[in-house]
Amino acid sequence: MADRLTTQSTTAMRRWGPPGIVTLAAMTALTALTASAAAKQVRPAAAVEATAPREAGEPIMAIVSIQSQKVTFYDADGWILRAPVSTGTTGRETPAGVFAVIEKDKDHHSTMYDDAWMPNMQRITWNGIALHGGPLPGYAASHGCVRMPFGFAENLFDKTNIGMRVIISPNDATPVDFSHPALFVPNKQAIAAVPARADKLSREAEEATRAADETKKAAAAAAREAASLPATLRNLERLKVRADAELAYADKALAAAKTDQARTRAEELKQKAAAKAADAATQLDAAKTDAQPKRDAAAATKDAAKAAAAKKADAVKAATEAKLALEPVSVYVSRATQKLYVRRNTHKPAPDGGGEVFDTSIEVPVTIRNPDLPIGTHVFTAMAKSDTGLRWSVVTIDDGDNAKDALDRITIPQEVLDRIAPTAVPRSSIIISDEPLSKETNYRTEFVAVLSNQPQGGFITRKPTTDMIASRDGGWGDDDGFGFFFQQRSYDQQPGTSYPRRRGGQYYQPMQPMQRGWW
């Protein structure tokens, strides 16, 4: 067969002449280049499914390596599951950065691509980036999502929870044990006191809510009564004017009377008119006298309702803070914005369907030494309890300072530390990054931050969701078929500082939180 092909090629070259030879040579070179490129796309064979030879705990984080095309899940004691993946192709790259699971759908189907099946979907952004089961050709082949083996995705689905950290790294990255005096150290007494404090504050919140409701009803009744005063006064003024006119007519009739009989009738008429006019004047004076206290009462009950509503808000805020005190807390420090952000999952379903609401009420300036120098992107995670409080790890996915130097440059406000450090629990985290928060960060996400020095085609080609709230049944779709958005601005957008758009730039703006307060 080889000799026959060689003979045919030689014959063809003779028949085509020099131009044919050049063409054939070009085709041969192109074929070689294509084969070479295809070979480069194929990832190392080491990326295979694996399970740690021990009993696994709850997954705390997942790390996706774009370079090695693999995902590794970690519990408190190390890696537990590993599998090959297929990330985004050129132009539709999976964004590298820091994410968390924000929604899970066992049997997701695309609303854009012929009802394509994307089983065991675990969403990490509302504009459509997710981990899900899918075909793996051995190289990057998705439209931005992270495809995992079908069976692996199915077995994994029930093991993860909303809020689990997902780190997508351009290179291989692993958690490294880490300690530093700036990391949170919980207080046993503070943790033990949380349940009783939460119960007490919940009762106070309920009482404040009842009082606010009653005061609001009283204010509404007083306002209705005060609102009716002008009409009542106008009616009484009309009656007095009419009575005065009747009295004046009676006076004229009396003056014009020519006979005793006519004079008698006129005097009787005047007496009745005078009594009527006097009664009208009395009613009007009394109404005017009563009007001001009613106006004062309406103003007072309105002020009381405002005070009761404020007391209710404070009580609810305190109760919510106490209830969430033992939830993992996430802190994000951005060198780009010189701000610190704090979030906790409330575990409350989003009002518009899909996902859960994250508390977003802390956003404060932070001091970063040498703010013009890169700091890198580092994810510090409390993996488990320890004798001294918490055992921490760090994952670094972007160049800059090393993890220790990065923490050394940050000064977290003492007020924030006082509120979150005493009750910090495993799975709490501190993220330090050069990047601002992505605009994909909203009240239904944990922190979303993407590396601006890495390609993000699969991210920036999707419609931003800054002015959107996701619903399960909408009609807009992304490249991997996640389609469910409709316009809604009231929850996650408020005027604020805008950040310059860099490569892949979709950046967070300060938000109006769903609920005021710390938690």
Side-chain angles (χ1 to χ4, degrees):
M1 176 63 74
D3 291 341
R4 186 187 308 169
L5 290 175
T6 303
T7 302
Q8 289 176 346
S9 298
T10 303
T11 303
M13 284 189 290
R14 289 173 180 170
R15 183 168 61 250
W16 294 344
I21 295 173
V22 172
T23 302
L24 184 59
M27 291 173 62
T28 303
L30 180 59
T31 302
L33 288 173
T34 303
S36 175
K40 290 179 180 179
Q41 279 188 315
V42 178
R43 298 304 179 189
V48 296
E49 289 188 48
T51 301
R54 61 179 176 83
E55 184 176 350
E58 179 184 338
I60 294 176
M61 73 175 77
I63 301 179
V64 176
S65 169
I66 295 176
Q67 179 185 54
S68 298
Q69 291 290 282
K70 68 180 179 182
V71 61
T72 306
F73 289 81
Y74 295 86
D75 68 1
D77 296 318
W79 77 272
I80 53 176
L81 296 167
R82 184 172 290 142
V85 298
S86 185
T87 60
T89 59
T90 301
R92 289 177 172 177
E93 297 89 353
T94 300
V98 182
F99 309 87
V101 174
I102 55 177
E103 186 191 35
K104 299 174 65 175
D105 187 354
K106 184 73 175 173
D107 189 32
H108 183 78
H109 288 258
S110 170
T111 57
M112 186 173 181
Y113 293 100
D114 299 323
D115 200 38
W117 187 40
M118 297 174 182
N120 300 292
M121 182 272 290
Q122 302 194 50
R123 181 181 306 284
I124 59 175
T125 74
W126 283 113
N127 72 353
I129 303 296
L131 286 68
H132 63 79
L136 272 64
Y139 50 84
S142 81
H143 291 141
C145 287
V146 177
R147 297 180 191 166
M148 301 181 293
F150 285 108
F152 182 87
E154 182 176 8
N155 293 333
L156 173 73
F157 189 82
D158 292 330
K159 294 180 173 65
T160 61
N161 294 312
I162 299 294
M164 185 195 73
R165 174 75 62 221
V166 177
I167 300 170
I168 300 179
S169 175
N171 305 305
D172 292 344
T174 57
V176 177
D177 288 343
F178 187 83
S179 62
H180 192 282
L183 297 173
F184 306 145
V185 178
N187 180 283
K188 291 182 179 180
Q189 289 74 24
I191 291 176
V194 166
R197 183 171 183 270
D199 288 343
K200 176 178 178 292
L201 292 175
S202 292
R203 289 193 298 272
E204 292 178 359
E206 291 174 359
E207 293 173 2
T209 299
R210 284 194 296 270
D213 291 343
E214 292 172 1
T215 308
K216 183 179 180 180
K217 291 178 182 177
R224 286 193 298 271
E225 189 173 4
S228 67
L229 289 175
T232 300
L233 292 174
R234 285 194 300 269
N235 185 51
L236 291 174
E237 286 171 352
R238 284 195 297 269
L239 292 176
K240 183 178 183 303
V241 168
R242 185 180 302 169
D244 289 343
E246 291 177 0
L247 179 60
Y249 175 78
D251 282 335
K252 289 181 180 179
L254 180 60
K258 301 299 183 181
T259 64
D260 291 342
Q261 186 178 7
R263 190 175 293 107
T264 300
R265 286 198 302 270
E267 286 177 350
E268 292 177 354
L269 180 63
K270 180 178 179 180
Q271 288 176 0
K272 292 180 180 179
K276 189 174 181 180
D279 184 57
T282 299
Q283 291 186 48
L284 179 60
D285 290 343
K288 287 181 178 179
T289 301
D290 292 342
Q292 191 57 47
K294 290 180 179 179
R295 291 191 183 99
D296 292 342
T301 54
K302 182 179 180 180
D303 291 340
K306 288 182 179 179
K311 185 176 180 180
K312 170 189 171 182
D314 290 341
V316 170
K317 177 186 72 173
T320 303
E321 174 184 352
K323 288 178 182 178
L324 296 179
L326 297 183
E327 283 293 317
V329 60
S330 294
V331 174
Y332 188 92
V333 178
S334 168
R335 185 178 68 87
T337 64
Q338 301 287 294
K339 284 188 176 182
L340 177 149
Y341 312 84
V342 178
R343 294 198 163 205
R344 274 178 165 151
N345 190 356
T346 67
H347 300 293
K348 294 180 179 178
D352 44 2
E356 298 176 354
V357 174
F358 284 77
D359 178 87
T360 63
S361 50
I362 298 182
E363 182 176 315
V364 296
V366 68
T367 301
I368 301 177
R369 183 165 49 83
N370 298 326
D372 295 330
L373 299 180
I375 201 168
T377 296
H378 314 273
V379 182
F380 304 88
T381 306
M383 303 300 289
K385 295 179 181 179
S386 70
D387 294 338
T388 58
L390 293 171
R391 175 166 56 81
W392 291 79
S393 72
V394 65
V395 178
T396 297
I397 62 171
D398 195 21
D399 293 335
D401 274 341
N402 61 44
K404 178 185 178 302
D405 291 343
L407 264 180
D408 286 342
R409 289 171 59 183
I410 305 296
T411 302
I412 298 178
Q414 190 60 44
E415 182 183 14
V416 176
L417 284 173
D418 291 343
R419 287 186 177 268
I420 63 180
T423 58
V425 295
R427 292 187 289 123
S428 295
S429 62
I430 300 174
I431 304 164
I432 298 175
S433 180
D434 293 307
E435 306 294 344
L437 288 174
S438 163
K439 281 188 176 180
E440 279 301 310
T441 303
N442 59 48
Y443 79 99
R444 297 198 315 166
T445 72
E446 221 246 35
F447 297 120
V448 179
V450 294
L451 302 187
S452 59
N453 59 359
Q454 297 294 322
Q456 302 160 19
F459 190 85
I460 63 176
T461 56
R462 290 169 163 81
K463 194 171 183 179
T465 61
T466 304
D467 298 335
M468 304 285 189
I469 291 180
S471 139
R472 292 184 185 273
D473 303 314
W476 185 82
D478 68 79
D479 289 330
D480 249 46
F482 294 93
F484 27 62
F485 292 93
F486 61 89
Q487 288 287 345
Q488 174 60 270
R489 295 174 179 266
S490 62
Y491 291 104
D492 63 352
Q493 182 182 15
Q494 80 177 32
T497 306
S498 60
Y499 306 111
R501 179 169 178 166
R502 298 189 289 175
R503 183 177 179 184
Q506 294 286 346
Y507 291 151
Y508 165 92
Q509 292 181 345
M511 298 179 299
Q512 184 73 24
M514 280 284 290
Q515 53 185 342
R516 291 289 186 182
W518 286 89
W519 306 126

